[in-house]
PDB file of all heavy atoms in Angstrom:
ATOM      1  N   ARG O  15      -8.376  33.694   0.668  1.00  0.00           N
ATOM      2  CA  ARG O  15      -6.946  33.471   0.393  1.00  0.00           C
ATOM      3  C   ARG O  15      -6.542  32.120   0.972  1.00  0.00           C
ATOM      4  O   ARG O  15      -7.139  31.640   1.938  1.00  0.00           O
ATOM      5  CB  ARG O  15      -6.097  34.568   1.031  1.00  0.00           C
ATOM      6  CG  ARG O  15      -6.443  35.958   0.521  1.00  0.00           C
ATOM      7  CD  ARG O  15      -5.699  37.033   1.282  1.00  0.00           C
ATOM      8  NE  ARG O  15      -5.974  36.917   2.721  1.00  0.00           N
ATOM      9  CZ  ARG O  15      -5.225  37.470   3.674  1.00  0.00           C
ATOM     10  NH1 ARG O  15      -4.160  38.156   3.367  1.00  0.00           N
ATOM     11  NH2 ARG O  15      -5.551  37.330   4.941  1.00  0.00           N
ATOM     12  N   VAL O  16      -5.508  31.518   0.400  1.00  0.00           N
ATOM     13  CA  VAL O  16      -4.987  30.250   0.893  1.00  0.00           C
ATOM     14  C   VAL O  16      -3.548  30.458   1.363  1.00  0.00           C
ATOM     15  O   VAL O  16      -2.807  31.269   0.800  1.00  0.00           O
ATOM     16  CB  VAL O  16      -5.060  29.139  -0.178  1.00  0.00           C
ATOM     17  CG1 VAL O  16      -4.123  29.419  -1.343  1.00  0.00           C
ATOM     18  CG2 VAL O  16      -4.790  27.770   0.431  1.00  0.00           C
ATOM     19  N   LEU O  17      -3.170  29.720   2.397  1.00  0.00           N
ATOM     20  CA  LEU O  17      -1.820  29.836   2.942  1.00  0.00           C
ATOM     21  C   LEU O  17      -0.843  28.981   2.145  1.00  0.00           C
ATOM     22  O   LEU O  17      -1.024  27.769   2.019  1.00  0.00           O
ATOM     23  CB  LEU O  17      -1.803  29.389   4.416  1.00  0.00           C
ATOM     24  CG  LEU O  17      -0.463  29.549   5.116  1.00  0.00           C
ATOM     25  CD1 LEU O  17      -0.100  31.026   5.261  1.00  0.00           C
ATOM     26  CD2 LEU O  17      -0.496  28.869   6.479  1.00  0.00           C
ATOM     27  N   GLY O  18       0.184  29.634   1.603  1.00  0.00           N
ATOM     28  CA  GLY O  18       1.278  28.940   0.939  1.00  0.00           C
ATOM     29  C   GLY O  18       2.503  28.997   1.834  1.00  0.00           C
ATOM     30  O   GLY O  18       2.726  29.974   2.551  1.00  0.00           O
ATOM     31  N   TRP O  31       7.249  26.186  -3.097  1.00  0.00           N
ATOM     32  CA  TRP O  31       6.061  26.380  -2.264  1.00  0.00           C
ATOM     33  C   TRP O  31       5.220  25.117  -2.184  1.00  0.00           C
ATOM     34  O   TRP O  31       5.172  24.321  -3.122  1.00  0.00           O
ATOM     35  CB  TRP O  31       5.255  27.545  -2.822  1.00  0.00           C
ATOM     36  CG  TRP O  31       5.991  28.828  -2.598  1.00  0.00           C
ATOM     37  CD1 TRP O  31       7.081  29.284  -3.304  1.00  0.00           C
ATOM     38  CD2 TRP O  31       5.758  29.798  -1.584  1.00  0.00           C
ATOM     39  NE1 TRP O  31       7.517  30.477  -2.787  1.00  0.00           N
ATOM     40  CE2 TRP O  31       6.711  30.826  -1.735  1.00  0.00           C
ATOM     41  CE3 TRP O  31       4.807  29.903  -0.566  1.00  0.00           C
ATOM     42  CZ2 TRP O  31       6.766  31.936  -0.900  1.00  0.00           C
ATOM     43  CZ3 TRP O  31       4.847  31.024   0.254  1.00  0.00           C
ATOM     44  CH2 TRP O  31       5.819  32.018   0.088  1.00  0.00           C
ATOM     45  N   PHE O  33       1.728  23.197   0.380  1.00  0.00           N
ATOM     46  CA  PHE O  33       0.719  23.304   1.421  1.00  0.00           C
ATOM     47  C   PHE O  33       1.264  22.579   2.643  1.00  0.00           C
ATOM     48  O   PHE O  33       1.934  21.558   2.503  1.00  0.00           O
ATOM     49  CB  PHE O  33      -0.600  22.688   0.954  1.00  0.00           C
ATOM     50  CG  PHE O  33      -1.158  23.391  -0.252  1.00  0.00           C
ATOM     51  CD1 PHE O  33      -1.097  22.808  -1.499  1.00  0.00           C
ATOM     52  CD2 PHE O  33      -1.717  24.654  -0.126  1.00  0.00           C
ATOM     53  CE1 PHE O  33      -1.590  23.465  -2.618  1.00  0.00           C
ATOM     54  CE2 PHE O  33      -2.212  25.316  -1.245  1.00  0.00           C
ATOM     55  CZ  PHE O  33      -2.143  24.727  -2.487  1.00  0.00           C
ATOM     56  N   LEU O 103      -2.326  33.836  -0.227  1.00  0.00           N
ATOM     57  CA  LEU O 103      -2.434  34.064  -1.664  1.00  0.00           C
ATOM     58  C   LEU O 103      -3.892  34.048  -2.133  1.00  0.00           C
ATOM     59  O   LEU O 103      -4.642  33.134  -1.781  1.00  0.00           O
ATOM     60  CB  LEU O 103      -1.671  32.964  -2.417  1.00  0.00           C
ATOM     61  CG  LEU O 103      -0.184  32.828  -2.078  1.00  0.00           C
ATOM     62  CD1 LEU O 103       0.347  31.478  -2.520  1.00  0.00           C
ATOM     63  CD2 LEU O 103       0.598  33.959  -2.712  1.00  0.00           C
ATOM     64  N   THR O 104      -4.256  35.040  -2.936  1.00  0.00           N
ATOM     65  CA  THR O 104      -5.573  35.044  -3.568  1.00  0.00           C
ATOM     66  C   THR O 104      -5.514  34.136  -4.798  1.00  0.00           C
ATOM     67  O   THR O 104      -4.423  33.704  -5.216  1.00  0.00           O
ATOM     68  CB  THR O 104      -5.967  36.462  -4.021  1.00  0.00           C
ATOM     69  OG1 THR O 104      -5.070  36.872  -5.047  1.00  0.00           O
ATOM     70  CG2 THR O 104      -5.949  37.454  -2.865  1.00  0.00           C
ATOM     71  N   ALA O 105      -6.652  33.884  -5.410  1.00  0.00           N
ATOM     72  CA  ALA O 105      -6.684  33.065  -6.634  1.00  0.00           C
ATOM     73  C   ALA O 105      -5.765  33.658  -7.695  1.00  0.00           C
ATOM     74  O   ALA O 105      -5.042  32.926  -8.384  1.00  0.00           O
ATOM     75  CB  ALA O 105      -8.112  32.944  -7.155  1.00  0.00           C
ATOM     76  N   ASP O 106      -5.756  34.978  -7.832  1.00  0.00           N
ATOM     77  CA  ASP O 106      -4.911  35.637  -8.833  1.00  0.00           C
ATOM     78  C   ASP O 106      -3.428  35.563  -8.497  1.00  0.00           C
ATOM     79  O   ASP O 106      -2.585  35.706  -9.385  1.00  0.00           O
ATOM     80  CB  ASP O 106      -5.313  37.112  -8.987  1.00  0.00           C
ATOM     81  CG  ASP O 106      -6.665  37.273  -9.664  1.00  0.00           C
ATOM     82  OD1 ASP O 106      -7.133  36.311 -10.322  1.00  0.00           O
ATOM     83  OD2 ASP O 106      -7.258  38.352  -9.523  1.00  0.00           O
ATOM     84  N   GLU O 107      -3.098  35.360  -7.228  1.00  0.00           N
ATOM     85  CA  GLU O 107      -1.688  35.315  -6.805  1.00  0.00           C
ATOM     86  C   GLU O 107      -1.111  33.897  -6.762  1.00  0.00           C
ATOM     87  O   GLU O 107       0.087  33.733  -6.548  1.00  0.00           O
ATOM     88  CB  GLU O 107      -1.553  35.947  -5.417  1.00  0.00           C
ATOM     89  CG  GLU O 107      -1.860  37.430  -5.404  1.00  0.00           C
ATOM     90  CD  GLU O 107      -1.975  38.011  -4.004  1.00  0.00           C
ATOM     91  OE1 GLU O 107      -2.441  37.295  -3.075  1.00  0.00           O
ATOM     92  OE2 GLU O 107      -1.616  39.190  -3.827  1.00  0.00           O
ATOM     93  N   LEU O 108      -1.931  32.881  -6.988  1.00  0.00           N
ATOM     94  CA  LEU O 108      -1.446  31.500  -6.899  1.00  0.00           C
ATOM     95  C   LEU O 108      -0.283  31.231  -7.849  1.00  0.00           C
ATOM     96  O   LEU O 108       0.610  30.458  -7.533  1.00  0.00           O
ATOM     97  CB  LEU O 108      -2.584  30.510  -7.171  1.00  0.00           C
ATOM     98  CG  LEU O 108      -3.615  30.372  -6.057  1.00  0.00           C
ATOM     99  CD1 LEU O 108      -4.790  29.519  -6.524  1.00  0.00           C
ATOM    100  CD2 LEU O 108      -2.992  29.785  -4.796  1.00  0.00           C
ATOM    101  N   GLY O 109      -0.276  31.882  -8.993  1.00  0.00           N
ATOM    102  CA  GLY O 109       0.798  31.683  -9.959  1.00  0.00           C
ATOM    103  C   GLY O 109       2.037  32.519  -9.689  1.00  0.00           C
ATOM    104  O   GLY O 109       3.021  32.429 -10.425  1.00  0.00           O
ATOM    105  N   SER O 110       2.028  33.299  -8.616  1.00  0.00           N
ATOM    106  CA  SER O 110       3.158  34.188  -8.335  1.00  0.00           C
ATOM    107  C   SER O 110       4.286  33.508  -7.566  1.00  0.00           C
ATOM    108  O   SER O 110       5.320  34.112  -7.324  1.00  0.00           O
ATOM    109  CB  SER O 110       2.680  35.419  -7.551  1.00  0.00           C
ATOM    110  OG  SER O 110       2.282  35.053  -6.237  1.00  0.00           O
ATOM    111  N   VAL O 111       4.078  32.250  -7.169  1.00  0.00           N
ATOM    112  CA  VAL O 111       5.119  31.503  -6.458  1.00  0.00           C
ATOM    113  C   VAL O 111       5.397  30.200  -7.207  1.00  0.00           C
ATOM    114  O   VAL O 111       4.555  29.720  -7.963  1.00  0.00           O
ATOM    115  CB  VAL O 111       4.719  31.210  -4.983  1.00  0.00           C
ATOM    116  CG1 VAL O 111       4.531  32.503  -4.211  1.00  0.00           C
ATOM    117  CG2 VAL O 111       3.485  30.339  -4.897  1.00  0.00           C
ATOM    118  N   ALA O 112       6.573  29.630  -6.976  1.00  0.00           N
ATOM    119  CA  ALA O 112       6.979  28.383  -7.636  1.00  0.00           C
ATOM    120  C   ALA O 112       6.577  27.197  -6.766  1.00  0.00           C
ATOM    121  O   ALA O 112       7.249  26.879  -5.790  1.00  0.00           O
ATOM    122  CB  ALA O 112       8.489  28.389  -7.863  1.00  0.00           C
ATOM    123  N   TRP O 113       5.454  26.561  -7.117  1.00  0.00           N
ATOM    124  CA  TRP O 113       4.944  25.424  -6.346  1.00  0.00           C
ATOM    125  C   TRP O 113       5.751  24.166  -6.628  1.00  0.00           C
ATOM    126  O   TRP O 113       6.277  23.984  -7.730  1.00  0.00           O
ATOM    127  CB  TRP O 113       3.482  25.163  -6.711  1.00  0.00           C
ATOM    128  CG  TRP O 113       2.568  26.256  -6.289  1.00  0.00           C
ATOM    129  CD1 TRP O 113       2.140  27.315  -7.052  1.00  0.00           C
ATOM    130  CD2 TRP O 113       1.979  26.434  -4.996  1.00  0.00           C
ATOM    131  NE1 TRP O 113       1.319  28.129  -6.306  1.00  0.00           N
ATOM    132  CE2 TRP O 113       1.201  27.612  -5.046  1.00  0.00           C
ATOM    133  CE3 TRP O 113       2.016  25.715  -3.806  1.00  0.00           C
ATOM    134  CZ2 TRP O 113       0.481  28.089  -3.949  1.00  0.00           C
ATOM    135  CZ3 TRP O 113       1.304  26.185  -2.720  1.00  0.00           C
ATOM    136  CH2 TRP O 113       0.551  27.351  -2.792  1.00  0.00           C
ATOM    137  N   ILE O 120      -3.150  20.551  -7.268  1.00  0.00           N
ATOM    138  CA  ILE O 120      -4.006  21.022  -6.186  1.00  0.00           C
ATOM    139  C   ILE O 120      -4.272  22.511  -6.364  1.00  0.00           C
ATOM    140  O   ILE O 120      -5.393  22.986  -6.163  1.00  0.00           O
ATOM    141  CB  ILE O 120      -3.366  20.741  -4.810  1.00  0.00           C
ATOM    142  CG1 ILE O 120      -3.052  19.235  -4.657  1.00  0.00           C
ATOM    143  CG2 ILE O 120      -4.245  21.253  -3.682  1.00  0.00           C
ATOM    144  CD1 ILE O 120      -4.239  18.298  -4.847  1.00  0.00           C
ATOM    145  N   VAL O 121      -3.262  23.265  -6.757  1.00  0.00           N
ATOM    146  CA  VAL O 121      -3.415  24.693  -6.998  1.00  0.00           C
ATOM    147  C   VAL O 121      -4.502  24.928  -8.042  1.00  0.00           C
ATOM    148  O   VAL O 121      -5.385  25.771  -7.867  1.00  0.00           O
ATOM    149  CB  VAL O 121      -2.076  25.342  -7.435  1.00  0.00           C
ATOM    150  CG1 VAL O 121      -2.283  26.757  -7.929  1.00  0.00           C
ATOM    151  CG2 VAL O 121      -1.081  25.308  -6.279  1.00  0.00           C
ATOM    152  N   ALA O 122      -4.471  24.146  -9.106  1.00  0.00           N
ATOM    153  CA  ALA O 122      -5.477  24.290 -10.161  1.00  0.00           C
ATOM    154  C   ALA O 122      -6.878  23.993  -9.629  1.00  0.00           C
ATOM    155  O   ALA O 122      -7.831  24.712  -9.945  1.00  0.00           O
ATOM    156  CB  ALA O 122      -5.152  23.360 -11.328  1.00  0.00           C
ATOM    157  N   ALA O 123      -7.021  22.976  -8.802  1.00  0.00           N
ATOM    158  CA  ALA O 123      -8.326  22.605  -8.239  1.00  0.00           C
ATOM    159  C   ALA O 123      -8.795  23.603  -7.191  1.00  0.00           C
ATOM    160  O   ALA O 123      -9.989  23.718  -6.920  1.00  0.00           O
ATOM    161  CB  ALA O 123      -8.242  21.200  -7.636  1.00  0.00           C
ATOM    162  N   LEU O 124      -7.857  24.323  -6.615  1.00  0.00           N
ATOM    163  CA  LEU O 124      -8.164  25.263  -5.525  1.00  0.00           C
ATOM    164  C   LEU O 124      -8.714  26.601  -6.023  1.00  0.00           C
ATOM    165  O   LEU O 124      -9.512  27.229  -5.337  1.00  0.00           O
ATOM    166  CB  LEU O 124      -6.879  25.487  -4.721  1.00  0.00           C
ATOM    167  CG  LEU O 124      -6.952  26.222  -3.425  1.00  0.00           C
ATOM    168  CD1 LEU O 124      -7.853  25.499  -2.448  1.00  0.00           C
ATOM    169  CD2 LEU O 124      -5.558  26.364  -2.838  1.00  0.00           C
ATOM    170  N   ARG O 125      -8.284  27.017  -7.204  1.00  0.00           N
ATOM    171  CA  ARG O 125      -8.683  28.335  -7.734  1.00  0.00           C
ATOM    172  C   ARG O 125     -10.175  28.644  -7.567  1.00  0.00           C
ATOM    173  O   ARG O 125     -10.532  29.702  -7.071  1.00  0.00           O
ATOM    174  CB  ARG O 125      -8.295  28.476  -9.187  1.00  0.00           C
ATOM    175  CG  ARG O 125      -6.845  28.775  -9.405  1.00  0.00           C
ATOM    176  CD  ARG O 125      -6.517  28.964 -10.882  1.00  0.00           C
ATOM    177  NE  ARG O 125      -5.106  28.791 -11.112  1.00  0.00           N
ATOM    178  CZ  ARG O 125      -4.179  29.693 -10.863  1.00  0.00           C
ATOM    179  NH1 ARG O 125      -4.531  30.844 -10.368  1.00  0.00           N
ATOM    180  NH2 ARG O 125      -2.921  29.440 -11.097  1.00  0.00           N
ATOM    181  N   PRO O 126     -11.080  27.724  -7.980  1.00  0.00           N
ATOM    182  CA  PRO O 126     -12.515  28.047  -7.888  1.00  0.00           C
ATOM    183  C   PRO O 126     -13.026  28.150  -6.444  1.00  0.00           C
ATOM    184  O   PRO O 126     -14.122  28.662  -6.216  1.00  0.00           O
ATOM    185  CB  PRO O 126     -13.210  26.883  -8.604  1.00  0.00           C
ATOM    186  CG  PRO O 126     -12.147  26.074  -9.241  1.00  0.00           C
ATOM    187  CD  PRO O 126     -10.839  26.461  -8.651  1.00  0.00           C
ATOM    188  N   LEU O 128     -11.515  29.820  -3.997  1.00  0.00           N
ATOM    189  CA  LEU O 128     -11.090  31.067  -3.358  1.00  0.00           C
ATOM    190  C   LEU O 128     -11.973  32.233  -3.781  1.00  0.00           C
ATOM    191  O   LEU O 128     -12.561  32.239  -4.812  1.00  0.00           O
ATOM    192  CB  LEU O 128      -9.626  31.363  -3.689  1.00  0.00           C
ATOM    193  CG  LEU O 128      -8.631  30.328  -3.223  1.00  0.00           C
ATOM    194  CD1 LEU O 128      -7.218  30.726  -3.624  1.00  0.00           C
ATOM    195  CD2 LEU O 128      -8.708  30.117  -1.733  1.00  0.00           C
TER     196      LEU O 128
END
Side-chain angles (χ1 to χ4, degrees):
R15 300 174 304 162
V16 67
L17 184 67
W31 290 76
F33 299 106
L103 302 162
T104 65
D106 290 342
E107 294 170 327
L108 287 172
S110 69
V111 298
W113 293 95
I120 304 304
V121 170
L124 190 60
R125 282 182 200 281
L128 299 179

